[in-house]
Amino acid sequence: MVEAYVLVTSAIGKVKEVAEKLQDLENVENVRVVTGPFDVVVLAKAKDLSTLTNTVVEGIRRIDGVVNTDTAIVVE
C-alpha cells in the first residue's frame, strides 16, 4: 500500500466544488479544506505507485478548478 498527501491549489471561488469532486475519486481516503498556501489536502491510498500516480494525474489534476498539485509520498 502506498500513501500520499496531495496538496491542491484551486482556482479562486472553486475550493468547495473541487473538494466535493475530490471526495468521489477512487483511492481518495480523506479530503480537507485548509488555510495557507494550499486550498485542499487529500490523503490518497493506492495498491502501488503506478495506481497512485494515475489517481493524481488522471483523477485529481483533471478536475475543473484544480490549478496545481504537490504530492508528498509517505515514507514512514
Side-chain angles (χ1 to χ4, degrees):
M1 183 68 66
V2 180
E3 293 181 68
Y5 289 95
V6 184
L7 310 168
V8 180
T9 304
S10 70
I12 295 171
K14 295 264 190 173
V15 176
K16 284 187 178 183
E17 181 182 328
V18 166
E20 289 172 1
K21 290 179 181 178
L22 286 166
Q23 291 175 4
D24 295 334
L25 293 179
E26 188 174 352
N27 301 315
V28 168
E29 294 287 319
N30 200 338
V31 176
R32 292 288 186 254
V33 175
V34 297
T35 62
F38 303 100
D39 300 305
V40 182
V41 176
V42 175
L43 173 60
K45 294 183 182 181
K47 65 180 181 177
D48 55 38
L49 186 57
S50 176
T51 304
L52 178 66
T53 300
N54 190 58
T55 298
V56 175
V57 174
E58 299 297 325
I60 295 173
R61 292 189 62 87
R62 289 201 175 188
I63 291 176
D64 182 46
V66 170
V67 174
N68 191 37
T69 62
D70 286 318
T71 302
I73 297 173
V74 175
V75 294
E76 202 173 297

